[in-house]
Amino acid sequence: MSKQKSASHEPFVRMSKRDGLPLWKSLGVRLIGLTLALIVCAVIIYALTKLNPLRVYAAMVKGAFGTNKRVWVTIRDIMMLLCIAVGLAPAFKMRFWNIGAEGQILVGGLAAAACMIYLGKSMPTIALLVVMFIFSMLAGGVWGTIPAIFKAKWNANETLFTLMMNYIAIQLTSFFVAKWENPFGSNTVGIINQMTKAGWFPTVFGQMYTLNVIIVMILAVLMYLYLRYSKQGYEIAVVGESENTARYAAINVRSVIIRTMAISGAICGIAGFIAVAGASHTISTSTAGGRGFTAIIVAWLAQFNTFIMVGISALLVFLQKGAIEIASQFDLNDFVSEMITGIILFFILGSEFFINYKIRFRGGKKEAGK
Amino acid sequence: MESSIAIRMVNITKTFGEVVANDKVCLDIQRGEILSLLGENGSGKTTLMNMLAGIYFPDSGEITINGNPVTIASPKDAFDLHIGMIHQHFKLVDVLTAAENIILGLNETTVVDLKRVREAVKQICDRYGFVVDPNKKVYDMSVSEKQTLEIVKVLYRGADILILDEPTAVLTPQETQKLFCVMRNMKADGKSIIIITHKLHEVMEISDRVAVLRKGHYIGDVPTAETNAQKLTEMMVGRAVSLDIERSEPVNRTARLVVNNLNVCDKDGVNRLTDVQFTAYSGEILGVAGISGSGQKELLEAIAGLQNCRDCSSIEFISEKGEKKQLSGMHPIDIKRLGVALAFVPEDRLGMGLVGSMNLTDNMMLRSYREGKGPVANRKKPKKLAETVVRDLEVVTPGLNTPVRRLSGGNVQKVLVGREISMEPQLLMSAYAVRGLDINTSYNIYHLLSEQKKRGAAVIFVGEDLDVLLELCDRIMVLCAGRVNDIVDARATTKDEVGYLMTYLKEGGKDRE
């Protein structure tokens, strides 16, 4: 027993799990986390660039909300990200690692673009939008269902499968971009139906993007109710927790997997429809633009609660917009803005730790580290 | 006297959130003694021992070893102080051999000398009467071998104080005897052993002294020779508890489940059940005995529609009205649609019977969430049911919205059994219904099963404690290597006979009954 230590040698810090924190407290922790993140960013910005951090922050706000148009573009992008996250929520709640949202968005967008190009002249806009909506939804749904079928029937790994489906969708998009090329030789589709605006979202209440907001918010509310109160939502939760339990409860695991992925893919397809008809009015391989992956963070951070997703989507889009603005205004490169995004995300994730665990310091009585 | 105390724990307190797991517990462990630590589920036994093993750190209190105050902040500190703990769930690396597992994490600076390790392992084995093959891979080992390896592992690290957390829960009676033999040898060698167990007859058999915890408080300790099972139970529960299982005569006995020619094979094509044939009657408890892995799990799952039976199999359910329904080859959903009231308490409570992350209400609706029209799940009835179960079965829970994972083992089982009984089953199957439960909860469960029998349900009870099987059941079916070895009258048979039937397959035994 040579290594005996004295009793005062208590470990310096210890963690212990805490029981559920009241909502206002956990919100408080997150707010503190955000504030700390901004302070740390300020210090780093000043140290690196000698710029006044407050001016930088002001520029970020300006980038996102500086003009009326910017406000609406920000809102448009928030809705896009939210829509994808809403689509991913049921899949991830079922612990089906759907990293194929990119592909599902693209095929949804392709379907929408095809309708605009081929049916644009023959239909009134409202009917055309309905047809586009349905075809995008179907395309995304099929794209999501294929890996689900393989998962259900042969237990194929869905992560790799959905990822590979992304590449197929990208190749497919390249093919159609070449086919629909306009003007010839540009290697882009260009703005579809620029003259007639057939298949474009109409302006509602004088705003271009009102319809985006309406569609996505309806989806978000429906998904919230679906996951929380429906029998199918309950089945998704059980399958996600344990397939054995699901079988025990007489749940048909295969059909739940396929059904859920059809829904997940369909909503991502709708996101593609919104991206084409409600935002860019064109299609390219970058229509999804990595948002299919960012949305995974949104869905998980919100614990599949679609209302919390609104806030997280807003934060991420705001950071991105602000980052672009400071990059151009202060002649900084993109890395500074990405650094800020990284630091803020780090602190948000860090506050999750403090919500779940309590820290105690040596000698200190309880309750340290609220 | 003072010098013979190996460990002294003084005023140890540990809280988890609002829950006080240990409240000012004082405990002494003598050198060369076997101490039983007794207490109901959630009374803080494991927490207390984890603080000795360096897994938790006490909020306050003092630990002295051989008179010196010490700090145990990590499992490594515990090893340095020669304390070794064998956990309920083994901590071994499956793909490594026994010898490799033993030296794992020791960080010996020299090149790993497996030869020397094997030599040392052999010495330890010879000294205490273990049998360990140092070259065997862990995935090839039986549960008992794995446990032996865990013990050798801590002895190799020089442990003088061994803590065994429910070591016998997974062992057969024979394996338990072997373990006890080893424990006695270690004691004779001057080692101190703390054993956590729920089985009172084992406490009486193996230990020198018994210490009792109740709800985190230290109740007291007594020399084993001066006490008995009844007194210990009273100390544990805090009031008198009857240790008799009430067994009524079967009434209105009619065939409820007729199983013929049941054959089940697993994914690898190995036969898990061969030509199983038996009848379960309403108003009786049919016990199922057997060494673990003899096909008990497959049998119950086959009846519940969770296993693929061979085509020749027949599982016929006869309802109260005399309608015959063939269950073989059916999925659980089909069985449900047939209107067969079949309740099943599976062995894996949180992995099959319940959803750990869901709260009590949501778990109540696991089997009934389809009820009612429309796409919306009705949570009113499950909530009422949850309230009833919590009240009637005395489930200790902070509330109905607590995830069941956060409840203690006994309360988890009460939730599960409560739900299954609430469907008023005609056939109730339970697998290892009292595994890991304290004595009070166990007797509650026995009582609930007996009530179902009186109600007229056919009860199939897969158990591991032969004493209980003999006391509770009307007939006992003994499985051996996936076959029905015999079905005996529980009132007339003996423990030895059942034990014998568990291990030796009779010629033509399957043809009986």
Side-chain angles (χ1 to χ4, degrees):
Chain A
M1 309 232 166
S2 53
K3 291 192 184 171
Q4 285 195 358
K5 297 161 189 172
S6 88
S8 64
H9 215 80
E10 199 184 315
F12 183 62
V13 269
R14 286 186 284 129
M15 312 171 280
S16 56
K17 191 138 175 75
R18 48 167 126 216
D19 274 359
L21 213 56
L23 184 69
W24 64 270
K25 261 191 181 172
S26 65
L27 282 177
V29 172
R30 290 195 177 93
L31 212 65
I32 293 170
L34 198 62
T35 317
L36 282 177
L38 292 176
I39 293 170
V40 171
C41 286
V43 170
I44 292 177
I45 289 169
Y46 183 73
L48 290 179
T49 63
K50 306 287 179 222
L51 290 169
N52 180 353
L54 289 179
R55 272 185 60 212
V56 175
Y57 289 146
M60 288 180 80
V61 175
K62 202 178 127 212
F65 305 115
T67 64
N68 197 24
K69 184 170 173 14
R70 277 186 183 171
V71 171
W72 277 99
V73 168
T74 303
I75 289 176
R76 181 194 76 190
D77 288 357
I78 292 170
M79 287 304 134
M80 181 68 188
L81 191 60
L82 177 63
C83 185
I84 305 163
V86 166
L88 290 177
F92 279 97
K93 183 150 195 195
M94 195 177 65
R95 299 292 184 272
F96 186 102
W97 305 93
N98 177 18
I99 57 171
E102 292 272 302
Q104 291 147 20
I105 297 162
L106 276 182
V107 292
L110 272 180
C115 292
M116 284 164 87
I117 290 168
Y118 295 117
L119 304 173
K121 294 188 186 76
S122 55
M123 271 188 188
T125 287
I126 296 297
L128 180 61
L129 281 175
V130 171
V131 171
M132 286 162 69
F133 180 86
I134 291 170
F135 275 98
S136 302
M137 196 170 77
L138 285 177
V142 167
W143 219 248
T145 309
I146 294 169
I149 291 173
F150 279 80
K151 168 82 177 178
K153 286 248 154 78
W154 297 288
N155 201 21
N157 182 307
E158 75 274 13
T159 317
L160 289 174
F161 210 123
T162 48
L163 185 66
M164 290 191 289
M165 292 293 283
N166 286 345
Y167 292 105
I168 300 175
I170 288 172
Q171 293 303 324
L172 217 59
T173 312
S174 304
F175 171 78
F176 281 107
V177 166
K179 189 171 158 63
W180 296 332
E181 204 179 29
N182 179 30
F184 186 75
S186 66
N187 200 26
T188 61
V189 180
I191 303 296
I192 303 167
N193 300 346
Q194 193 157 18
M195 304 307 291
T196 59
K197 296 199 173 176
W200 291 28
F201 276 13
T203 48
V204 181
F205 306 128
Q207 282 301 338
M208 266 180 92
Y209 301 125
T210 318
L211 199 56
N212 304 34
V213 178
I214 292 172
I215 294 176
V216 176
M217 288 319 286
I218 288 175
L219 284 175
V221 171
L222 286 181
M223 182 53 72
Y224 180 83
L225 298 175
Y226 178 74
L227 288 178
R228 192 137 184 164
Y229 296 109
S230 77
K231 292 176 182 173
Q232 296 193 353
Y234 182 76
E235 286 176 344
I236 289 172
V238 175
V239 171
E241 185 72 20
S242 152
E243 284 193 19
N244 259 337
T245 309
R247 291 194 314 129
Y248 167 83
I251 291 170
N252 188 335
V253 176
R254 288 179 177 186
S255 67
V256 171
I257 290 178
I258 293 171
R259 185 183 70 208
T260 307
M261 269 312 287
I263 293 170
S264 176
I267 296 177
C268 291
I270 292 171
F273 160 67
I274 295 173
V276 171
S280 67
H281 309 125
T282 183
I283 181 93
S284 75
T285 48
S286 59
T287 293
R291 283 177 285 202
F293 297 115
T294 313
I296 298 174
I297 305 175
V298 178
W300 269 107
L301 268 182
Q303 288 291 304
F304 317 120
N305 182 326
T306 51
F307 296 127
I308 297 176
M309 283 181 202
V310 179
I312 295 172
S313 306
L315 179 69
L316 289 181
V317 171
F318 164 74
L319 287 174
Q320 185 206 355
K321 297 281 168 206
I324 294 168
E325 176 67 19
I326 55 173
S328 62
Q329 189 178 334
F330 298 106
D331 216 15
L332 302 170
N333 61 19
D334 277 352
F335 296 125
V336 174
S337 53
E338 288 189 8
M339 216 172 62
I340 295 174
T341 312
I343 291 170
I344 291 177
L345 277 181
F346 178 83
F347 273 87
I348 291 175
L349 292 173
S351 41
E352 298 300 311
F353 173 83
F354 285 99
I355 286 164
N356 287 316
Y357 292 93
K358 203 184 296 190
I359 299 289
R360 288 180 191 166
F361 291 97
R362 182 198 301 166
K365 286 284 165 200
K366 294 171 189 175
E367 295 301 313
K370 258 194 181 163
Chain B
M1 188 63 198
E2 186 67 26
S3 62
S4 72
I5 290 174
I7 299 183
R8 165 163 276 177
M9 301 176 89
V10 184
N11 286 331
I12 299 287
T13 300
K14 176 79 189 170
T15 55
F16 297 103
E18 300 293 302
V19 185
V20 183
N22 287 136
D23 189 7
K24 296 204 171 99
V25 173
C26 304
L27 183 69
D28 289 344
I29 298 131
Q30 315 272 339
R31 221 167 285 142
E33 81 162 346
I34 300 180
L35 174 76
S36 280
L37 196 54
L38 206 59
E40 291 192 88
N41 294 117
S43 59
K45 308 175 297 273
T46 307
T47 307
L48 187 65
M49 288 303 112
N50 276 337
M51 285 188 272
L52 276 185
I55 290 169
Y56 295 146
F57 193 86
D59 294 343
S60 64
E62 209 171 275
I63 302 175
T64 55
I65 292 185
N66 299 322
N68 306 314
V70 292
T71 305
I72 310 172
S74 73
K76 190 170 176 308
D77 290 354
F79 276 129
D80 291 341
L81 295 164
H82 302 264
I83 300 171
M85 181 159 175
I86 289 99
H87 296 270
Q88 220 171 336
H89 306 283
F90 302 135
K91 319 243 183 258
L92 297 168
V93 180
D94 266 354
V95 293
L96 297 184
T97 64
E100 286 164 343
N101 263 291
I102 286 169
I103 54 159
L104 198 67
L106 280 182
N107 287 330
E108 289 178 348
T109 42
T110 48
V111 181
V112 176
D113 182 4
L114 278 176
K115 210 171 181 184
R116 197 175 48 75
V117 176
R118 275 185 220 119
E119 222 22 64
V121 169
K122 195 168 174 301
Q123 264 180 22
I124 294 171
C125 290
D126 291 347
R127 193 145 145 214
Y128 301 112
F130 292 112
V131 186
V132 170
D133 174 1
N135 296 321
K136 200 169 186 179
K137 302 262 190 200
V138 171
Y139 59 74
D140 283 331
M141 290 187 179
S142 71
V143 178
S144 148
E145 282 177 303
K146 283 182 198 171
Q147 188 174 59
T148 312
L149 174 57
E150 285 275 18
I151 298 173
V152 173
K153 190 167 96 182
V154 299
L155 288 175
Y156 180 84
R157 294 169 188 213
D160 290 324
I161 300 149
L162 282 92
I163 306 163
L164 296 125
D165 191 356
E166 293 195 41
T168 59
V170 290
L171 301 183
T172 63
Q174 287 80 1
E175 289 167 340
T176 304
Q177 284 312 317
K178 247 192 264 169
L179 173 71
F180 284 180
C181 195
V182 170
M183 283 170 66
R184 287 194 191 96
N185 288 340
M186 291 194 287
K187 174 179 129 184
D189 200 39
K191 310 232 182 252
S192 308
I193 301 172
I194 307 168
I195 174 171
I196 301 178
T197 176
H198 286 308
K199 299 179 185 168
L200 284 174
H201 63 95
E202 292 177 358
V203 171
M204 300 306 295
E205 185 182 340
I206 186 75
S207 61
D208 302 311
R209 204 159 54 94
V210 190
V212 181
L213 290 182
R214 188 201 308 154
K215 292 178 181 154
H217 294 273
Y218 184 71
I219 300 301
D221 67 297
V222 279
T224 312
E226 292 168 21
T227 186
N228 58 36
Q230 188 66 48
K231 280 187 197 157
L232 287 176
T233 313
E234 285 182 32
M235 278 176 85
M236 233 161 64
V237 184
R239 60 187 151 83
V241 172
S242 159
L243 289 186
D244 297 317
I245 302 176
E246 185 201 346
R247 174 164 60 185
S248 56
E249 287 297 320
V251 281
N252 209 356
R253 195 166 169 272
T254 56
R256 178 59 45 84
L257 187 78
V258 183
V259 173
N260 264 312
N261 234 338
L262 177 62
N263 280 278
V264 171
C265 58
D266 63 13
K267 268 186 279 177
D268 304 323
V270 179
N271 253 12
R272 308 302 305 203
L273 289 174
T274 312
D275 302 333
V276 168
Q277 184 174 352
F278 71 93
T279 306
Y281 296 92
S282 65
E284 73 157 17
I285 298 182
L286 173 68
V288 178
I291 297 169
S292 62
S294 299
Q296 297 96 321
K297 177 170 172 265
E298 288 78 6
L299 176 65
L300 299 195
E301 290 191 4
I303 297 169
L306 297 169
Q307 288 272 351
N308 291 325
C309 315
R310 290 257 176 90
D311 293 341
C312 58
S313 313
S314 160
I315 303 170
E316 202 169 49
F317 179 86
I318 302 159
S319 74
E320 269 166 340
K321 293 170 192 136
E323 297 162 291
K324 289 185 180 172
K325 285 159 186 171
Q326 183 56 247
L327 304 187
S328 177
M330 296 236 152
H331 285 285
I333 186 80
D334 304 322
I335 295 175
K336 210 175 167 70
R337 288 203 188 106
L338 278 178
V340 174
L342 188 155
F344 179 22
V345 179
E347 179 183 352
D348 190 356
R349 290 161 204 161
L350 287 175
M352 186 179 244
L354 299 167
V355 182
S357 62
M358 285 188 179
N359 63 28
L360 269 72
T361 306
D362 280 10
N363 268 298
M364 284 300 154
M365 57 195 263
L366 187 62
R367 305 258 267 172
S368 59
Y369 74 95
R370 287 183 194 81
E371 276 171 19
K373 281 191 188 125
V376 177
N378 179 357
R379 276 183 168 77
K380 274 193 198 128
K381 260 167 75 182
K383 186 157 180 251
K384 267 215 184 92
L385 176 58
E387 281 165 1
T388 316
V389 168
V390 167
R391 194 181 55 234
D392 292 354
L393 270 56
E394 295 168 356
V395 179
V396 181
T397 168
L400 295 183
N401 289 324
T402 308
V404 289
R405 185 183 287 138
R406 294 250 285 274
L407 304 184
S408 72
N411 289 311
V412 167
Q413 183 70 332
K414 281 181 185 171
V415 170
L416 176 54
V417 170
R419 184 190 70 206
E420 291 302 300
I421 286 176
S422 72
M423 58 197 276
E424 306 205 327
Q426 295 183 304
L427 174 63
L428 170 64
M429 305 191 291
S430 76
Y432 307 112
V434 298
R435 181 178 279 175
L437 302 198
D438 60 65
I439 192 134
N440 194 29
T441 316
S442 299
Y443 277 79
N444 279 338
I445 301 276
Y446 301 146
H447 182 68
L448 289 171
L449 295 177
S450 295
E451 273 189 346
Q452 291 303 305
K453 159 185 157 181
K454 276 191 220 155
R455 230 198 67 236
V459 179
I460 300 180
F461 177 82
V462 174
E464 46 197 344
D465 188 336
L466 292 185
D467 293 301
V468 170
L469 279 166
L470 289 176
E471 272 183 72
L472 175 71
C473 306
D474 297 296
R475 290 182 306 144
I476 298 173
M477 172 164 77
V478 187
L479 291 178
C480 181
R483 290 170 185 272
V484 177
N485 209 5
D486 204 347
I487 298 177
V488 294
D489 181 355
R491 288 178 178 79
T493 188
T494 63
K495 219 169 136 178
D496 288 337
E497 189 192 6
V498 176
Y500 182 82
L501 286 168
M502 279 163 68
T503 32
Y504 298 100
L505 194 63
K506 287 204 294 197
E507 279 301 312
K510 61 178 179 174
D511 293 333
R512 293 215 10 190
E513 231 255 336

